[in-house]
Amino acid sequence: GKVMEGDILPTGTQIKVGAESEAILLFSNGTITTIGANTQVSVRKFLQEGFANSEKKVSALNEEVSSSILLLDLQVGDLVVDVRKLKKKSNFEITSPLGVAGIRGTSFRLSASRDSTKLSVLTGLVGFVSNENKQNQVGAGKVLVSSRGKESVINDLADAQKQSIAQTVARAKKETEEISLSTLRDKLSKSFKTHLVPSAGNLEMIWVEPGEFMMGSPERESGRDGRDNQESQHQVLLSYGFYLGKYEVTQSQWKAVVGSDPSMFKGEDLPVEKVSWLDAVEFCKKLTEIEKRSGRLQDGMAYQLPTEAQWEYACRAGTTTAYSWGAKIASSNANYNWDGAYNTGNDFKQTRDVGQYASNPWGFFDMHGNVWEWTSDQFAGYSSEQVIDPRGAKSGLTKVIRGGGWEDDAPALRSASRSNSPPSLRYEYLGFRLSLQKQ
């Protein structure tokens, strides 16, 4: 659709600028990008950890206010980019048809066609890695020309080109000079509602608005332990919002906080498993302490396991069917024991990298299958009446687990399905998803 002035552009946005036109993108990390005529570019990824309200102008920043990830894809055309000094953990890259430019604090122009890329650096230093993995460092006042089938060449940047880049940067700064950090923060909070956790390997979280839903199922079914799961349907009101992990916690994210990996199936992007409820709670406590020390966590907020009600609310994502995508399930929907064979057959028989299947309507991945996920609640029967912010039983021997796993058959993956496990036990089908909410 048509992009209007002041629009917030979500990740995945494709931008096409026509002849005799240009567009200016202002990112909350302070980067200003001028998109020239006849240019096609996409925002592959933009994430930034939270930052405080401030009336400081974004264009006046010398350094970004919080760590970020910014990945752009330039298919064809011309970009002039002015970048603030980035935090140590930040990452900013622009992919062109012939290579990738890695950026810190600089002003430059990147021009691309199918067969050539030109990188002209006004200030700072830009690393450029060709498709053949040859690395170049392009300093201030230099221009790199990379053509298909030829060696890259670095020459001096002509004075006219320096002046052109400087004028474009100055014009973009003037156009955006009145926009404050608070203005962008308010716009972002109403649009993306995302939270980044740098100390846990840039773990991504999505904001879940408060609301009401029907929890449980009108048809009660048996769980993996053969007992009635007590899924009696009842109305739940969640009076406050919370953040929830976009994905199950991965092994790389677990190791970033804990330093070791207990999982049976090894892989950086596989969900961590063989973690007990006690292990998961300790992870949350440790992560909260780290983020508080860094000054990134607001007072009164803590990383926790979600309650069972919060988990099902986010899993359903406004749906009322057995699964968040509909009434039936197939092998293309989730990682589970879809062929009914535990030692033979065609299912994967282990965990898979997170995010391999389509997300639910609110953007959460693998809420069905892959690994069961711990919740904070003690296992007990449901109330038949409406409840507000339920927290489970006050005592009990087992904790609620949700979502089903790679070794389970279809009924265990339903949005309403419940099971339970002692909090000290560890299994290769048990992991968790992180929440961030008030203590």
Side-chain angles (χ1 to χ4, degrees):
K2 190 175 181 180
V3 177
M4 305 298 291
E5 183 176 350
D7 283 354
I8 294 291
L9 303 182
T11 292
T13 298
Q14 301 279 339
I15 304 165
K16 294 183 180 180
V17 177
E20 300 180 3
S21 299
E22 71 174 20
I24 298 173
L25 301 184
L26 173 64
F27 295 90
S28 54
N29 66 357
T31 296
I32 306 173
T33 301
T34 301
I35 308 173
N38 300 311
T39 296
Q40 296 182 31
V41 65
S42 61
V43 182
R44 178 153 49 99
K45 191 171 189 178
F46 179 61
L47 290 169
Q48 186 172 10
E49 67 176 82
F51 54 90
N53 277 318
S54 170
E55 292 310 311
K56 189 170 185 177
K57 305 305 181 186
V58 178
S59 60
L61 292 174
N62 293 318
E63 182 179 2
E64 63 174 351
V65 290
S66 60
S67 298
S68 65
I69 298 174
L70 175 55
L71 306 178
L72 302 178
D73 286 335
L74 174 61
Q75 289 88 43
V76 64
D78 187 85
L79 299 179
V80 173
V81 185
D82 183 48
V83 187
R84 303 291 84 81
K85 182 181 178 183
L86 301 183
K87 300 288 187 182
K88 186 176 180 180
K89 292 184 178 180
S90 294
N91 182 32
F92 179 19
E93 295 180 350
I94 303 178
T95 300
S96 74
L98 295 187
V100 180
I103 300 110
R104 300 306 293 179
T106 176
S107 295
F108 64 95
R109 169 177 277 131
L110 186 67
S111 304
S113 68
R114 186 174 64 88
D115 295 316
S116 69
T117 294
K118 181 187 289 186
L119 173 61
S120 306
V121 180
L122 180 64
T123 62
L125 184 71
V126 180
F128 185 83
V129 181
S130 70
N131 292 343
E132 293 76 32
N133 207 33
K134 184 175 180 180
Q135 301 189 27
N136 294 276
Q137 295 294 322
V138 187
K142 298 293 183 179
V143 56
L144 175 143
V145 179
S146 178
S147 301
R148 195 176 298 279
K150 297 181 181 180
E151 287 286 329
S152 297
V153 178
I154 298 178
N155 293 312
D156 291 333
L157 185 62
D159 288 342
Q161 287 300 308
K162 293 179 184 178
Q163 185 177 7
S164 174
I165 296 171
Q167 288 174 344
T168 302
V169 168
R171 185 169 65 250
K173 282 186 175 181
K174 185 174 179 59
E175 290 290 334
T176 59
E177 64 184 356
E178 294 305 316
I179 299 177
S180 68
L181 284 168
S182 293
T183 299
L184 272 187
R185 187 175 185 270
D186 290 344
K187 283 180 175 288
L188 289 169
S189 67
K190 293 173 183 176
S191 178
F192 295 121
K193 300 277 188 177
T194 58
H195 178 76
L196 194 65
V197 191
S199 56
N202 287 325
L203 185 151
E204 299 174 48
M205 308 188 81
I206 299 173
W207 176 254
V208 180
E209 295 281 357
E212 292 183 81
F213 76 110
M214 293 301 293
M215 186 173 179
S217 171
E219 298 179 1
R220 296 164 71 174
E221 300 187 33
S222 293
R224 61 180 294 119
D225 54 11
R227 294 183 297 171
D228 189 336
N229 265 336
Q230 302 180 62
E231 296 173 2
S232 54
Q233 200 167 44
H234 60 291
Q235 191 170 40
V236 173
L237 170 63
L238 299 178
S239 66
Y240 59 90
F242 58 96
Y243 285 99
L244 187 68
K246 184 176 181 179
Y247 308 98
E248 295 157 334
V249 174
T250 67
Q251 291 173 34
S252 63
Q253 291 163 350
W254 175 272
K255 286 191 290 186
V257 176
V258 177
S260 59
D261 181 7
S263 304
M264 172 178 285
F265 306 111
K266 300 296 186 183
E268 293 291 289
D269 293 325
L270 291 175
V272 67
E273 22 88 3
K274 296 198 77 172
V275 290
S276 69
W277 183 89
L278 296 171
D279 294 334
V281 168
E282 186 60 31
F283 174 94
C284 294
K285 289 180 179 178
K286 188 170 184 178
L287 182 59
T288 298
E289 292 171 0
I290 293 171
E291 289 292 299
K292 278 186 176 179
R293 285 198 303 268
S294 72
R296 292 189 289 257
L297 200 57
Q298 294 181 0
D299 290 342
M301 298 291 284
Y303 293 100
Q304 307 170 47
L305 293 174
T307 68
E308 183 181 13
Q310 288 172 338
W311 191 97
E312 185 172 328
Y313 181 56
C315 176
R316 289 190 177 280
T319 66
T320 58
T321 47
Y323 308 95
S324 61
W325 56 77
K328 297 181 179 180
I329 186 172
S331 61
S332 59
N333 296 128
N335 180 23
Y336 71 108
N337 182 26
W338 55 267
D339 63 4
Y342 286 92
N343 298 310
T344 60
N346 297 314
D347 57 277
F348 288 98
K349 297 178 180 58
Q350 70 159 78
T351 57
R352 296 194 72 194
D353 285 356
V354 299
Q356 298 299 299
Y357 302 89
S359 71
N360 74 6
W362 289 354
F364 295 105
F365 290 83
D366 300 306
M367 298 295 286
H368 308 273
N370 218 14
V371 290
W372 284 89
E373 299 177 18
W374 289 110
T375 72
S376 62
D377 290 4
Q378 301 279 4
F379 185 80
Y382 286 153
S383 168
S384 60
E385 300 177 353
Q386 183 190 42
V387 288
I388 300 173
D389 300 322
R391 287 276 174 178
K394 292 183 179 180
S395 62
L397 298 177
T398 60
K399 298 292 184 178
V400 176
I401 57 176
R402 285 302 209 111
W406 57 269
E407 70 166 13
D408 290 281
D409 55 12
L413 275 69
R414 294 173 300 110
S415 298
S417 179
R418 313 173 71 207
S419 193
N420 62 98
S421 184
S424 61
L425 292 188
R426 302 178 177 96
Y427 296 109
E428 61 271 19
Y429 54 74
L430 254 178
F432 70 104
R433 189 179 303 260
L434 191 67
S435 84
L436 172 62
Q437 54 186 293
K438 65 182 183 181
Q439 291 176 300

